Each structure stands twice: as structure tokens, then as C-alpha cells.
């Protein structure tokens, strides 16, 4: 099943997710494989290997959630080339909380 954005753009579901220290790679139901730099998502960069590997494909297959990192990324944003829009202040607060745990 393919979803449609408000702009009428077709968005395929995520079938598989893989990460390494540099890339987030999605395999999509339409056969495309899309990779983006992990540096686009600071929480993923600063998360441990184990935290990055604990994710859930959700939102009917149109998003990914990392519960340990409180990070959500949608396939639409990736296809549009959108990086994390988290403010520096919010990211710093998140980093401070991690130091206390």
C-alpha cells in the first residue's frame, strides 16, 4: 500500500530499516532503497549501537520510532530530504538528561 501526502506525492511503506555508524537505510515497498546520513539525526548519532538497533516500524509502515532515543522519523521526510528539525536547545536538554541516567 502506498500513502499520499497532502501535495499528492506517493509515499511507499517501509519494509526494512538498517543502520550503521554513518547511514540510515530504508528498503521501501516499491523496490527503492534510500540512504541518508546518520548525521541528519543527532539523536541517532549520539545513541549507542544497541539503542539505534531498537526501533519499531510504525504509523502503518510510514514511520520509524526509536523508544530509547525518543526519535521518530517518517519516510515522507526522508524522501523529501528533510533533516531533523529539533532545535539546538531541545537537543542539549536531551543530552543533559542522558548524562543523568
Amino acid at each position: 500500500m502506498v500513502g499520499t501526502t497532502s501535495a499528492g506525492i506517493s509515499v511507499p511503506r517501509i519494509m526494512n530499516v538498517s543502520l550503521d555508524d554513518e547511514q540510515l537505510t530504508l528498503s521501501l515497498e516499491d523496490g527503492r532503497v534510500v540512504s541518508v546520513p546518520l548525521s541528519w539525526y543527532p539523536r541517532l548519532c549520539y545513541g549507542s549501537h544497541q539503542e539505534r538497533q531498537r526501533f519499531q516500524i510504525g504509523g502503518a509502515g510510514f514511520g520509524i520510532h526509536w523508544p530509547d532515543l525518543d526519535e521518530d522519523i517518517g519516510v515522507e521526510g526522508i524522501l523529501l530530504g528533510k533533516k531533523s528539525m529539533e532545535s539546538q536547545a531541545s537537543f542539549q536538554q536531551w543530552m543533559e538528561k542522558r548524562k543523568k541516567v
Side-chain angles (χ1 to χ4, degrees):
M1 177 179 177
V2 175
T4 306
T5 69
S6 59
I9 299 168
S10 295
V11 178
R13 289 180 194 231
I14 301 164
M15 304 305 292
N16 190 42
V17 177
S18 62
L19 297 97
D20 61 28
D21 290 336
E22 296 180 13
Q23 298 284 318
L24 167 62
T25 303
L26 306 181
S27 298
L28 305 177
E29 70 179 333
D30 64 2
R32 283 183 281 176
V33 176
V34 181
S35 294
V36 294
L38 209 60
S39 62
W40 283 14
Y41 307 101
R43 290 185 184 207
L44 293 180
C45 281
Y46 284 89
S48 70
H49 175 78
Q50 291 80 12
E51 289 171 322
R52 287 195 300 258
Q53 296 304 315
R54 254 189 312 274
F55 61 85
Q56 303 155 344
I57 298 174
F62 298 108
I64 314 157
H65 174 67
W66 284 266
D68 297 339
L69 301 171
D70 193 22
E71 179 71 88
D72 295 284
I73 300 172
V75 67
E76 179 180 356
I78 287 175
L79 292 174
L80 293 173
K82 293 185 177 181
K83 299 176 184 179
S84 173
M85 296 180 63
E86 183 173 21
S87 72
Q88 188 63 30
S90 173
F91 181 68
Q92 289 300 326
Q93 288 175 342
W94 179 78
M95 290 290 288
E96 289 300 318
K97 281 185 187 176
R98 287 179 63 82
K99 290 178 186 176
K100 294 176 183 176
V101 175

